[in-house]
């Protein structure tokens, strides 16, 4: 969705515990960032992220209201408490780093072999992929190796003009996150972000024979051109975007505040409609939306409200022929519908239904063209393309190839284009390019000869019956030549939060595992978005345990059907997926042998109790508010991984964490690891059986990288270490 529906999903992906460490929407598990000619472009429309609260205990407010004679004492106690906490944090950090330095030697040789194999597959299957292209008039703009380049659309000779270089402009090490061209192509705005920071800098270049920097704006999240010389942008502070500014590049330059969001649960971004008629100011919480319009013909007028926020109603707008096309959850059932209203009468009472999704159908993406709308849908695990023709009022539905599990719409398609280009992929199938022609009403695969077709992998779609008899989808991949599947290693993937789907895009390491005989299983549990908005609602707040029950049912079904067995089963999760992964380690440790967690959220209760953290308030719509609701506190405590650790035989656990992570504070992970180690040792000392197995609890703390982004090399090393750990633990 190049319009705000996609922005909303991407904003969810920027949430405190989601981990978008590559250029796709879905929640990732064990992954490496796609290496596009060493290009660090993450996303051309949106992909946020930010850093960590300093360690130390914050004293409660009541301690500051002491009597006159004890004020200094209270202050000294507070300082002493914070200092002691910081020292403890530093000691733990140093201890874990020393421990990892010792342990890592035993994985060095295997890690090297895995890296070489992944790089070989990368060169074979994905190195040829181009950076996203933006066609604007007669020119094409794109990014490669830290350069923004421009070429003529009809130039077959490869002539390019360098517009911007991160290194030459003093931004060495930063990657280009977003590009916007002014309507007359006199200005280029781009945002730059370093690997260790979530804050981006917007650089505005004046184009011409010799492009030069016109202005640099720090801490910018999203931005769009309203006219040739008027730019709107949102500022980002402490992971929040709540202010919208307008800046001009006319003879009289000035910047002014246009909009401020007062509710801490809401996040604001800017989008421009495909026909370039309006800018939209989109204010979204996890469950509620509000949109304001800025007419690009009159950019200095005040924004106009489309529909006041209504609790539980999400909506996003596009524009065509003086009508707003509104993608919304309004009405029953509370799933996405496409509606429309006149620009002159935008209130909810005037919304008219254009198209409603079928039950248990997931809207993955939507793209507006001049006379058509394309919806990418998922139903029963399969992908579909629905084409809505506005002129003939018809809908055509096309099932996409059954092997496909994910898609990527090509960047910034022209509004008047007669063809929609996109790529299909799966965890074990490299991207393949397809085109849908509106004129011919057909789908064509534009196969690249250099991309080999994967023939040795079988895809199976299963349904597991959860505790409440809800059927939970599982997608399974295995080598067609594998015999005795019950003896093969199984890697289970889970996420289950924010209505975000599991990342099902291609990863070289997944194909490597298939070639080696592994089984890959993706459990689409409640809390995720695979079956629509209701699927998410059924797995958040007071329903979070349903996701845990779903995961258990999935693993048990896999074993019952002969897909591996507990001693060969591993589980991988990232960020918020760590909640369910950590929970099942506490409740059913006998189902799995090893676990890999990436920046995991494992201390839900303590985090949600600390409202001074930048995202705790807006996260209440996902996890609940334990400070205001005692029942909520009890419920979270019932599944929180940290609070349910007990002496028992756990699987081995490998955790990767980041010093610069603002979304999942390192202090919580350190506490979790310490408590888990103690529990495993207590259990071992109590049982004292001959040959008693003690699991390995390993924490790898990365000084570089952050919750959202790492370099190709760092990601490659990380994945190789994870797989080396799993192979050693499963003895394969």
């Amino acid at each position: 969705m190049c319009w705000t529906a996609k922005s909303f999903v991407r904003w969810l992906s920027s949430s405190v515990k989601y981990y978008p460490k590559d250029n796709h929407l879905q929640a990732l598990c064990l992954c490496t960032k796609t290496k596009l000619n060493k290009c660090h472009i993450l996303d051309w429309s949106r992909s946020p992220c930010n850093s960590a609260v300093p360690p130390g205990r914050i004293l409660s407010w009541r301690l500051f209201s002491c009597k006159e004679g004890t004020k200094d004492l209270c202050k000294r106690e507070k300082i002493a408490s914070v200092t002691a906490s910081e020292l403890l944090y530093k000691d733990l950090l140093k201890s874990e780093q020393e421990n990892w330095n010792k342990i890592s030697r035993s994985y060095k040789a295997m890690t090297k072999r895995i890296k070489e194999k992944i790089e070989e597959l990368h060169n074979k299957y994905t190195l040829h992929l181009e950076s996203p292209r933006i066609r604007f008039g007669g020119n094409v703009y794109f990014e490669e190796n830290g350069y923004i380049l421009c070429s003529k659309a009809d130039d077959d000779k490869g002539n390019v003009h360098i517009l911007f270089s991160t290194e030459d402009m003093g931004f060495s090490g930063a990657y280009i996150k977003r590009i916007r061209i002014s309507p007359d192509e006199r200005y280029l705005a781009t945002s730059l972000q370093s690997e260790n920071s979530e804050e981006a800098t917007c650089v505005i270049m004046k184009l011409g024979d010799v492009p030069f920097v016109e202005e640099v704006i720090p801490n910018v999240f999203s931005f769009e051109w309203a006219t040739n010389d008027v730019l709107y942008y949102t500022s980002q502070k402490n992971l929040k975007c709540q202010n919208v500014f307008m800046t001009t590049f006319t003879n009289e330059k000035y910047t002014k505040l246009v909009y401020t969001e007062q509710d801490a649960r809401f996040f604001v971004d800017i989008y421009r409609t495909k026909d370039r008629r309006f800018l939209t100011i989109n204010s979204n919480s996890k469950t509620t939306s509000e949109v304001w319009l800025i007419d690009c013909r009159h950019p200095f007028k005040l924004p106009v409200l489309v529909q006041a926020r209504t609790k539980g109603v999400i909506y996003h707008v596009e524009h065509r022929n003086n009508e707003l096309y509104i993608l919304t959850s309004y009405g029953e059932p509370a799933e996405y519908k496409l509606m429309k209203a006149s620009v002159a009468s935008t209130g909810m009472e005037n919304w008219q239904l254009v198209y409603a999704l079928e039950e248990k159908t997931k809207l993955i993406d939507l793209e507006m063209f001049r006379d058509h709308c394309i919806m990418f849908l998922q139903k029963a695990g399969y992908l579909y393309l629905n084409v809505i023709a506005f002129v003939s009022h018809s809908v055509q539905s096309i099932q996409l190839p059954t092997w496909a599990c994910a898609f990527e719409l090509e960047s910034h398609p022209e509004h008047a284009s007669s063809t929609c280009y996109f790529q299909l992929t799966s965890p074990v199938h490299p991207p393949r390019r397809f085109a849908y022609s509106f004129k011919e009403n057909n789908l064509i695969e534009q196969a690249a000869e250099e991309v080999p077709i994967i023939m040795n992998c079988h895809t199976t779609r299963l349904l597991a019956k959860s505790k409440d008899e809800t059927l939970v989808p599982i997608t399974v991949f295995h080598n067609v030549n594998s015999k005795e599947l019950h003896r093969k290693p199984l890697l289970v993937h889970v996420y289950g939060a924010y209505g975000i789907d599991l990342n099902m895009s291609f990863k070289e390491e997944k194909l490597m595992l298939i070639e080696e005989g592994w089984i890959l299983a993706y459990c689409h549990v409640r809390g995720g978005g695979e079956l629509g908005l209701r699927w998410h609602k059924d797995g958040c707040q007071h329903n979070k345990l349903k996701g845990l029950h779903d995961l258990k049912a999935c693993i048990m079904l896999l074993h019952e059907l002969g897909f591996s067995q507990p001693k060969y089963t591993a589980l991988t999760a990232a960020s918020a997926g760590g909640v369910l992964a950590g929970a099942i380690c506490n409740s059913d440790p006998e189902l799995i042998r090893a676990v890999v967690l990436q920046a995991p959220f494992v201390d839900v209760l303590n985090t949600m109790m600390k409202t001074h953290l930048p995202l705790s308030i807006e996260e209440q719509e996902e996890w609940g508010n334990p400070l205001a609701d005692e029942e909520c506190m009890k419920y979270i405590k019932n599944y929180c991984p940290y609070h349910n650790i007990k002496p028992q035989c756990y699987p081995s656990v490998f955790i990767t964490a980041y010093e610069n992570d603002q979304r999942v504070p390192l202090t919580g992970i350190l506490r979790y690891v310490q408590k888990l180690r103690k529990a495993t040792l207590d259990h071992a000392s109590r049982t004292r059986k001959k040959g008693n197995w003690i699991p390995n609890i390993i924490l790898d703390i990365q000084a570089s990288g952050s919750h959202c982004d790492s370099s190709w090399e760092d990601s490659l090393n990380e994945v190789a270490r994870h797989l080396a750990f799993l192979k050693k633990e499963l003895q394969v």
Side-chain angles (χ1 to χ4, degrees):
M1 291 171 247
C2 278
W3 59 311
T4 49
K6 189 169 212 172
S7 295
F8 176 72
V9 176
R10 293 189 182 215
W11 171 71
L12 287 180
S13 76
S14 75
S15 268
V16 96
K17 294 101 192 164
Y18 173 58
Y19 192 67
K21 195 185 253 192
D22 67 283
N23 56 345
H24 297 284
L25 283 179
Q26 292 83 357
L28 68 84
C29 296
L30 194 61
C31 89
T32 176
K33 183 188 286 187
T34 302
K35 183 182 180 186
L36 302 178
N37 299 324
K38 294 187 179 178
C39 155
H40 296 314
I41 186 161
L42 196 77
D43 188 341
W44 289 62
S45 57
R46 176 165 189 193
S47 186
C49 277
N50 274 331
S51 149
V53 175
R57 182 166 64 86
I58 305 299
L59 298 181
S60 59
W61 177 84
R62 63 184 177 87
L63 291 183
F64 291 94
S65 57
C66 48
K67 294 182 180 179
E68 185 71 27
T70 59
K71 282 184 180 178
D72 290 342
L73 178 61
C74 291
K75 187 175 181 180
R76 287 196 299 271
E77 286 177 349
K78 178 196 173 188
I79 293 172
S81 175
V82 172
T83 303
S85 182
E86 288 177 344
L87 289 173
L88 178 61
Y89 167 81
K90 290 178 180 178
D91 287 345
L92 285 176
L93 180 61
K94 183 179 179 182
S95 174
E96 291 297 340
Q97 289 170 333
E98 290 174 350
N99 185 54
W100 167 245
N101 288 336
K102 293 176 183 176
I103 295 173
S104 62
R105 296 167 193 158
S106 63
Y107 296 103
K108 193 171 182 179
M110 189 181 296
T111 298
K112 182 181 178 183
R113 291 195 297 272
I114 293 171
K115 279 180 62 178
E116 290 172 351
K117 179 62 176 177
I118 292 174
E119 287 192 306
E120 178 186 331
L121 290 171
H122 174 76
N123 294 335
K124 182 177 181 180
Y125 290 108
T126 58
L127 189 61
H128 71 282
L129 296 176
E130 294 182 333
S131 302
R133 259 62 174 164
I134 300 176
R135 179 161 181 163
F136 206 100
N139 294 319
V140 175
Y141 298 86
F142 58 100
E143 185 267 355
E144 276 187 11
N145 301 323
Y147 290 91
I148 298 178
L149 308 169
C150 177
S151 66
K152 293 296 181 183
D154 56 358
D155 184 359
D156 297 327
K157 298 180 180 179
N159 297 316
V160 296
H161 181 46
I162 298 175
L163 304 179
F164 179 84
S165 165
T166 53
E167 188 168 345
D168 292 346
M169 294 295 178
F171 293 95
S172 181
Y175 68 87
I176 296 166
K177 177 178 171 184
R178 183 179 182 134
I179 295 175
R180 291 294 183 267
I181 312 296
S182 66
D184 61 359
E185 299 184 72
R186 286 193 302 126
Y187 291 99
L188 178 151
T190 183
S191 55
L192 308 172
Q193 188 172 326
S194 70
E195 291 170 357
N196 296 325
S197 172
E198 296 201 25
E199 297 178 351
T201 298
C202 182
V203 179
I204 293 91
M205 302 287 297
K206 189 165 186 178
L207 304 180
D209 294 336
V210 182
F212 63 90
V213 175
E214 180 78 17
E215 189 170 342
V216 177
I217 310 173
N219 304 327
V220 172
F221 179 73
S222 60
F223 50 92
E224 295 286 355
W225 293 98
T227 65
N228 296 334
D229 45 26
V230 177
L231 182 76
Y232 278 75
Y233 65 90
T234 59
S235 62
Q236 185 173 13
K237 184 179 180 180
N238 294 329
L239 304 181
K240 295 180 180 292
C241 280
Q242 295 186 304
N243 293 320
V244 178
F245 294 89
M246 178 189 71
T247 188
T248 66
F249 296 90
T250 56
N251 292 332
E252 296 181 8
K253 295 183 179 180
Y254 69 94
T255 299
K256 74 171 185 177
L257 179 66
V258 174
Y259 176 88
T260 297
E261 174 57 60
Q262 302 293 338
D263 193 328
R265 296 172 301 162
F266 284 72
F267 187 98
V268 180
D269 75 350
I270 295 285
Y271 169 75
R272 188 174 67 179
T273 60
K274 289 293 295 298
D275 61 1
R276 302 173 188 169
R277 169 70 187 279
F278 291 103
L279 296 188
T280 62
I281 297 174
N282 313 294
S283 189
N284 299 302
S285 78
K286 295 291 187 296
T287 61
T288 305
S289 304
E290 184 173 88
V291 179
W292 296 74
L293 296 179
I294 298 165
D295 192 333
C296 291
R297 300 173 304 179
H298 308 286
F300 302 108
K301 286 188 175 182
L302 292 175
V304 176
L305 179 64
V306 174
Q307 165 63 45
R309 62 191 66 175
T310 302
K311 186 177 180 180
V313 175
I314 300 167
Y315 77 96
H316 323 278
V317 303
E318 252 293 353
H319 177 262
R320 173 184 176 270
N321 292 351
N322 213 33
E323 289 183 315
L324 296 183
Y325 281 79
I326 305 157
L327 186 66
T328 179
S329 63
Y330 172 62
E332 292 296 334
E335 297 289 348
Y336 277 124
K337 309 159 193 70
L338 185 63
M339 307 182 85
K340 69 176 182 178
S342 167
V343 170
S345 306
T346 62
M348 191 181 290
E349 67 278 5
N350 300 306
W351 294 2
Q352 301 171 21
L353 182 64
V354 176
Y355 184 81
L357 298 183
E358 296 178 10
E359 187 180 0
K360 293 186 178 180
T361 299
K362 160 79 177 202
L363 174 65
I364 303 173
D365 206 343
L366 183 148
E367 185 67 32
M368 289 284 289
F369 293 86
R370 184 172 57 192
D371 295 321
H372 298 83
C373 169
I374 284 192
M375 288 184 170
F376 289 88
L377 308 173
Q378 180 176 318
K379 186 173 183 180
Y382 297 97
L383 299 183
Y384 294 82
L385 191 69
N386 276 18
V387 182
I388 301 173
F390 294 127
V391 177
S392 63
H393 304 286
S394 62
V395 179
Q396 182 180 9
S397 183
I398 302 169
Q399 183 173 346
L400 299 175
T402 56
W403 57 263
C405 297
F407 91 99
E408 182 80 11
L409 188 68
E410 295 205 350
S411 228
H412 296 269
E414 286 288 302
H415 180 58
S417 176
S418 61
T419 307
C420 177
Y421 297 96
F422 58 93
Q423 292 180 342
L424 295 178
T425 182
S426 88
V428 297
H429 292 88
R432 301 188 71 81
R433 194 171 190 245
F434 289 77
Y436 179 83
S437 170
F438 298 123
K439 291 181 178 178
E440 304 296 330
N441 291 326
N442 63 357
L443 185 68
I444 303 169
E445 180 177 2
Q446 300 187 315
E449 292 182 3
E450 65 270 23
V451 184
I453 299 174
I454 305 301
M455 302 294 291
N456 65 340
C457 183
H458 182 71
T459 305
T460 304
R461 291 172 172 87
L462 305 172
L463 291 172
K465 186 177 289 188
S466 193
K467 185 177 181 179
D468 61 1
E469 300 196 344
T470 296
L471 297 178
V472 183
I474 315 171
T475 308
V476 184
F477 304 92
H478 67 84
N479 195 305
V480 294
N481 299 316
S482 290
K483 308 295 183 185
E484 297 185 310
L485 288 175
H486 67 286
R487 296 181 182 273
K488 299 297 182 182
L490 166 65
L491 182 59
V492 177
H493 304 71
V494 70
Y495 186 68
Y498 303 115
I500 302 293
D501 301 358
L502 272 172
N503 186 351
M504 301 288 283
S505 57
F506 177 68
K507 295 288 178 288
E508 293 90 341
E509 65 270 20
K510 308 301 183 189
L511 181 57
M512 180 191 77
L513 293 178
I514 290 295
E515 291 179 348
E516 293 178 355
W518 285 60
I519 305 165
L520 306 178
Y522 291 77
C523 302
H524 309 292
V525 303
R526 281 174 284 187
E530 286 87 347
L531 270 68
L533 297 176
R534 184 72 194 180
W535 196 248
H536 168 228
K537 189 174 181 180
D538 283 349
C540 68
Q541 292 195 2
H542 62 280
N543 290 320
K544 187 57 70 174
L545 276 170
K546 291 181 180 179
L548 175 59
H549 299 153
D550 293 351
L551 177 58
K552 179 180 178 180
C554 289
I555 297 175
M556 290 182 68
L557 178 66
L558 289 166
H559 291 161
E560 288 170 11
L561 295 178
F563 291 108
S564 195
Q565 51 187 294
K567 67 179 181 179
Y568 299 130
T569 298
L571 177 64
T572 180
S575 198
V579 174
L580 297 183
I584 202 167
C585 287
N586 290 327
S587 65
D588 300 275
E590 70 281 356
L591 292 178
I592 42 184
R593 175 75 178 193
V595 179
V596 166
L597 301 175
Q598 211 169 17
F601 185 36
V602 286
D603 193 0
V604 184
L605 186 56
N606 285 329
T607 302
M608 295 308 298
M609 296 279 282
K610 297 175 181 177
T611 55
H612 65 277
L613 294 176
L615 297 174
S616 290
I617 293 176
E618 70 182 53
E619 292 295 309
Q620 290 170 1
E621 291 181 316
E622 179 70 24
W623 309 97
N625 183 359
L627 289 174
D629 185 345
E630 188 174 347
E631 289 303 313
C632 175
M633 180 185 292
K634 291 178 181 177
Y635 189 82
I636 293 176
K637 199 170 184 178
N638 197 30
Y639 69 79
C640 176
Y642 174 78
H643 283 87
N644 288 279
I645 293 173
K646 53 184 176 286
Q648 62 179 349
C649 187
Y650 278 91
S652 291
V653 178
F654 188 112
I655 296 176
T656 297
Y658 307 92
E659 283 193 63
N660 298 311
D661 195 334
Q662 281 181 282
R663 299 175 181 275
V664 179
L666 183 56
T667 50
I669 295 176
L670 286 167
R671 284 196 301 267
Y672 175 80
V673 168
Q674 293 293 314
K675 189 174 181 180
L676 187 61
R677 279 210 194 103
K678 185 177 184 304
T680 59
L681 293 174
D682 286 349
H683 173 73
S685 64
R686 291 177 188 178
T687 54
R688 294 184 179 179
K689 293 179 181 178
K690 189 176 181 180
N692 192 32
W693 178 70
I694 301 177
N696 291 306
I697 311 297
I698 300 172
L699 176 58
D700 174 18
I701 301 171
Q702 294 294 304
S704 61
S706 67
H707 194 87
C708 295
D709 311 300
S710 291
S711 67
W712 157 258
E713 189 63 31
D714 286 343
S715 294
L716 178 61
N717 288 328
E718 196 171 295
V719 169
R721 288 192 293 268
H722 291 170
L723 295 183
F725 166 79
L726 291 179
K727 289 185 174 189
K728 188 172 182 180
E729 293 298 324
L730 302 185
Q731 298 180 359
V732 295

